[in-house]
Amino acid sequence: MLTVLELIGIAAFAASGAVAAVRARLDVFGVIVLALTTALGGGLIRDILLGVRPPSALVTWPYLAVAGGTGLIVFWFHPTVEKLRRSVLLLDAVGLGLFVTAGTSTALSLGAPPYAACLVGMTTGIGGGALRDVLLREIPLVLRREIYAVAALGGAMIVALGNWLKLPAGPVAILGSVLIVGVRVIALWRKWNAPIAKKLDG
């Protein structure tokens, strides 16, 4: 079940990257590259930071197949995917929750201190989207709109706290994922954004 949920998250992230690529008028190769980058970029960054070699995304073929296949589907059927935007956003929230808690748990299991594990977990969740926006020459969405990185960090902190208190890893990971998904869904529904600095005069 966990593997299935991870693949759903990968597909959701890949779809968001592919949709952004279609909107930017990239060709089919560019759409697939953006899908792969968005879906697997966070995991690659996590493994590089933790010294995991080779990165799991490069040796687990279903991850590559699902991400690349989703990119192709979006390329050919993007008008239909655009109509399912709310469903894609919900799946994206689920993927974020799973990736953040899995990344945090992985970091803790490899001996990272709690604060570092939280940062690694957050990066696992938001890294792919940030790379996507950089490739499209945009300010990363996680830095300028909606409650995204903050939700990811909150879920990672739940996992780290549960590990410190020696609580069962499974229920703690589920709680962290539910927190992330819940905050993301409410933020999208209520159009919440983190505070920004007031506009400078002149």
Side-chain angles (χ1 to χ4, degrees):
M1 180 61 70
L2 180 59
T3 300
V4 172
L5 291 174
E6 287 180 344
L7 291 176
I8 290 173
I10 287 173
F13 278 179
S16 69
V19 167
V22 169
R23 289 174 177 168
R25 305 297 297 164
L26 301 189
D27 63 15
V28 61
F29 179 74
V31 171
I32 294 174
V33 167
L34 262 292
L36 290 168
T37 299
T38 308
L40 305 177
L44 289 172
I45 295 173
R46 175 202 64 205
D47 289 348
I48 290 171
L49 291 174
L50 296 175
V52 177
R53 298 178 183 174
S56 57
L58 300 182
V59 297
T60 309
W61 70 264
Y63 291 176
L64 293 167
V66 168
T70 301
L72 276 176
I73 291 172
V74 171
F75 179 81
W76 290 111
F77 301 103
H78 63 88
T80 302
V81 175
E82 287 281 4
K83 293 178 182 178
L84 298 173
R85 183 173 180 273
R86 289 186 178 180
S87 298
V88 172
L89 287 174
L90 177 59
L91 290 175
D92 179 87
V94 173
L96 178 67
L98 291 171
F99 284 15
V100 169
T101 54
T104 306
S105 298
T106 299
L108 290 168
S109 69
L110 293 176
Y115 67 88
C118 289
L119 294 176
V120 169
M122 180 184 68
T123 302
T124 304
I126 71 174
L131 290 174
R132 172 200 64 207
D133 294 343
V134 169
L135 288 174
L136 293 175
R137 296 192 297 178
E138 298 178 357
I139 298 173
L141 183 68
V142 299
L143 302 180
R144 58 188 172 89
R145 286 185 59 193
E146 302 169 353
I147 307 297
Y148 202 97
V150 174
L153 184 58
M157 291 173 65
I158 291 292
V159 175
L161 179 61
N163 179 264
W164 181 66
L165 294 174
K166 308 296 184 184
L167 298 177
V172 169
I174 292 173
L175 177 61
S177 296
V178 169
L179 172 68
I180 293 170
V181 174
V183 171
R184 280 291 297 139
V185 169
I186 294 173
L188 290 168
W189 173 46
R190 303 292 295 176
K191 294 181 171 51
W192 286 349
N193 293 295
I196 61 173
K198 294 181 179 180
K199 186 176 180 180
L200 297 175
D201 293 335

